[in-house]
Amino acid sequence: MAVIRTDRPLSWRELAAVAAGEALVLSEAARARIAAARTLVEQIVERGIRAYGVNTGVGALCDVIVSPSEQRALSRNILMSHAVGVGAPLGVTETRAIMAAAINNFAHGHSGIRLDVADQLVALLDADYIPEVPAFGSVGYLSHMAHIALVCIGEGHVRHGGERISGRAALERLGREPLVLEAKEGLSLINGTPCVTGLAALALARAERVLDWTDAIAAMSFENLRGQLAAFDADSLALRVSPGLNLVGERMRNALADSGILASVVGQRTQDPLSMRTIPHVHGAARDVLDATAEVVNRELASITDNPIVAGTPDAPRVYSQAHAVGASIALAMDSLATAIAQVAAMAERRLDRLVNPLVSGLPAFLAQPGGTCSGFMIAQYTAASLVAQNRRLAAPASLDGGITSGLQEDHLCHATPAALKALEIVDNTGRIVAIELLAAAQGLRSAACRCARARNTDALWRRVRAVVPTYRDDRPLADDMAVAFRMIGEAAPPLPPAAGHVPSPAPDDHAGYGAHAANDSTAAAHHAPQSAA
């Protein structure tokens, strides 16, 4: 179903849907706003009104006047000099998200590009001819958008159906001509916060999915470890004011209320370890951060983030050359989300350690077959510990990195796009950590000596795992099972009843797997035929 950009800006969920493969359509009103803004730029050029990046240089060259005859060259040269990305390219989903956010920004009607420029980007999205965009090399937003814009003028490269082709060949296949950029269009194409905003929308979608799964998997681990259901008591949790905490508490109660295993151990312990009894507090705090971040991203999508902004009327055009392209608020929000998800991952690893540790689990050592010849999940816990440590390093705030560029003209940097990229990496790592916890919890339920009935929801989750991954007996590389579980988390919602008023995150299509490397995980993860339920 197409996402239509009308008078209302895209929401982060709509942007994530376009990133996942939905078509993006500009309404007639949006097209009219884009065209009207172009008229303003033409008047600015005609009247010789000084405007940054229109008839001046950019960055520290902002006081160098550029004549009308040089303005096309300025727009083209901006793309060439700013296309400085390095490293492996972003995934298709990430690049689609950035493109959709850029089109959304143009549709506000304050950028000053021609409709042809917006239509070129929409055509590339619609045909899934996705520019090749190196992931690194930006302190803000410039290089990623420059590599996307190169394709609009017939330069650079795209990927389509596994094929890498030149930008010019891609446009020929689509029956479109390379653009000759006019005044301001080069700057508009690389400017603003679409890069971080697109990536932030993906981070939100993936973080929401990971949190849903982490709740479900934590319930299975809690049952394995014979926790005390009093930890999720509604009256007790209501004493702390936190929508996220109370939502998670309700979900845990709904998931475990009918557990015969937990009913059999009521009152046996005064308090469970913190990694068990603070599930609502930690998962809930992350959900509160997620909601706050979503508000910031939606505000960013509703904002005009160009520099300069064109406004006014053709008779009285105005230019605002301020700092709306600086993404301080969204950089801080991405840093906050990254830290919240890293904390959820750290606690998941602690539950995993309890599952494999015979000193506290009451389960076979490392969930392995007896006899000492099998290691079971011993080393998988090492992997989780390593990813937790990597998350801890990544969670250092990018928004404080600072730096000085452009000959002291840009002497304060917020590093918004790097903040979003590392948030995405942390979410990916967290998905892998909770995938290992899922496998271990499924193994533990099989190994449990107690013959009491499992909760319906944990049993449903166990059966879903066993439909694709058999009980582990040290008979195959465990990494393959981990990849299958990771892909499961990225593709569908968990079988956990939602709390009142909570809408589970929708299942993404093939484009929306976790991160640029999700395809590599799935390739390595041949699905195993399930063994008989044990």
Side-chain angles (χ1 to χ4, degrees):
M1 182 176 179
V3 175
I4 302 175
R5 174 52 162 94
T6 59
D7 290 340
R8 181 179 57 80
L10 298 182
S11 69
W12 75 262
R13 289 188 187 279
E14 289 172 323
L15 198 149
V18 176
E22 296 289 353
L24 177 59
V25 177
L26 288 169
S27 71
E28 287 305 313
R31 297 175 65 82
R33 288 193 301 274
I34 292 171
R38 183 62 206 172
T39 299
L40 296 177
V41 171
E42 291 167 355
Q43 286 299 308
I44 289 166
V45 171
E46 183 176 329
R47 298 178 187 206
I49 300 170
R50 182 184 288 201
Y52 173 77
V54 178
N55 46 32
T56 77
V58 296
L61 302 175
C62 62
D63 292 324
V64 178
I65 302 301
V66 176
S67 69
S69 64
E70 298 173 307
Q71 286 166 11
R72 282 186 173 180
L74 171 63
S75 277
R76 180 181 178 86
N77 293 348
I78 284 173
L79 301 193
M80 297 301 179
S81 63
H82 287 62
V84 293
V86 296
L90 294 175
V92 167
T93 314
E94 287 79 0
T95 306
R96 286 183 63 91
I98 295 169
M99 295 169 71
I103 295 165
N104 174 76
N105 188 52
F106 298 148
H108 287 308
H110 291 278
S111 298
I113 62 165
R114 288 168 297 156
L115 271 170
D116 285 349
V117 178
D119 286 341
Q120 196 89 309
L121 289 170
V122 170
L124 291 167
L125 266 181
D126 192 48
D128 213 30
Y129 278 71
I130 305 305
E132 187 175 271
V133 181
F136 305 111
S138 177
V139 297
Y141 45 78
L142 298 171
S143 66
H144 297 82
M145 280 303 304
H147 283 277
I148 290 171
L150 285 178
V151 176
C152 293
I153 65 172
E155 302 290 342
H157 291 84
V158 304
R159 293 189 180 273
H160 176 72
E163 182 183 9
R164 183 177 188 259
I165 58 178
S166 72
R168 184 171 294 276
L171 294 178
E172 287 176 359
R173 291 188 189 183
L174 296 176
R176 301 190 66 86
E177 292 293 324
L179 295 174
V180 176
L181 299 180
E182 301 290 347
K184 195 181 185 297
E185 289 180 334
L187 182 58
S188 292
L189 278 166
I190 66 168
N191 214 317
T193 64
C195 187
V196 59
T197 309
L199 296 174
L202 285 185
L204 284 169
R206 294 173 184 172
E208 184 178 58
R209 174 56 56 80
V210 162
L211 289 175
D212 285 346
W213 272 98
T214 307
D215 288 347
I217 295 164
M220 185 185 280
S221 294
F222 192 90
E223 191 172 37
N224 262 302
L225 296 168
R226 310 294 193 268
Q228 297 296 303
L229 277 172
F232 311 130
D233 179 79
D235 290 339
S236 172
L237 293 181
L239 297 174
R240 177 176 276 274
V241 180
S242 164
L245 177 148
N246 284 284
L247 184 147
V248 174
E250 185 177 353
R251 294 186 72 172
M252 298 301 286
R253 290 192 299 275
N254 291 344
L256 295 169
D258 59 347
S259 170
I261 294 174
L262 297 185
S264 71
V265 297
V266 169
Q268 288 187 5
R269 285 197 296 268
T270 303
Q271 286 187 342
D272 289 314
L274 286 172
S275 62
M276 297 168 63
R277 61 186 165 96
T278 65
I279 289 168
H281 302 74
V282 174
H283 293 195
R287 287 184 179 277
D288 289 342
V289 170
L290 184 94
D291 288 345
T293 303
E295 183 178 348
V296 171
V297 176
N298 280 338
R299 287 203 306 263
E300 202 75 10
L301 287 165
S303 299
I304 294 94
T305 62
D306 291 71
N307 180 33
I309 292 168
V310 295
T313 66
D315 291 334
R318 300 191 65 180
V319 181
Y320 299 111
S321 185
Q322 305 301 330
H324 289 336
V326 174
S329 60
I330 199 167
L332 291 166
M334 284 293 96
D335 280 341
S336 180
L337 180 66
T339 302
I341 299 301
Q343 185 170 126
V344 168
M347 197 166 78
E349 186 276 329
R350 289 293 79 210
R351 288 191 302 269
L352 169 64
D353 183 69
R354 298 192 77 82
L355 286 170
V356 303
N357 187 340
L359 299 177
V360 294
S361 69
L363 300 168
F366 308 109
L367 306 173
Q369 298 296 306
T373 62
C374 296
S375 298
F377 283 77
M378 179 193 296
I379 308 304
Q381 186 265 329
Y382 287 32
T383 301
S386 171
L387 291 172
V388 166
Q390 185 179 6
N391 279 355
R392 188 177 298 114
R393 293 188 290 269
L394 288 169
S399 52
L400 290 180
D401 283 349
I404 300 171
T405 58
S406 194
L408 294 180
Q409 179 72 8
E410 296 172 358
D411 57 355
H412 178 77
L413 306 173
C414 295
H415 296 268
T417 295
L421 286 170
K422 72 184 185 62
L424 283 166
E425 188 173 351
I426 285 173
V427 173
D428 276 2
N429 287 342
T430 300
R432 293 183 172 93
I433 291 164
V434 298
I436 298 169
E437 184 188 2
L438 173 60
L439 294 175
Q443 187 93 348
L445 284 182
R446 177 193 177 275
S447 303
C450 177
R451 297 305 171 190
C452 300
R454 297 191 283 257
R456 281 192 296 269
N457 282 284
T458 56
D459 185 67
L461 182 51
W462 178 81
R463 292 181 185 279
R464 184 185 288 193
V465 173
R466 286 293 168 257
V468 292
V469 178
T471 299
Y472 189 66
R473 296 184 171 87
D474 284 49
D475 53 344
R476 59 189 181 272
L478 189 49
D480 292 351
D481 291 5
M482 290 156 52
V484 170
F486 177 63
R487 186 166 179 82
M488 180 188 298
I489 288 170
E491 287 183 336
L496 182 66
H502 175 68
V503 180
S505 52
D509 72 5
D510 290 342
H511 277 309
Y514 284 93
H517 306 295
N520 294 335
D521 284 331
S522 61
T523 301
H527 283 210
H528 305 290
Q531 298 179 358
S532 57

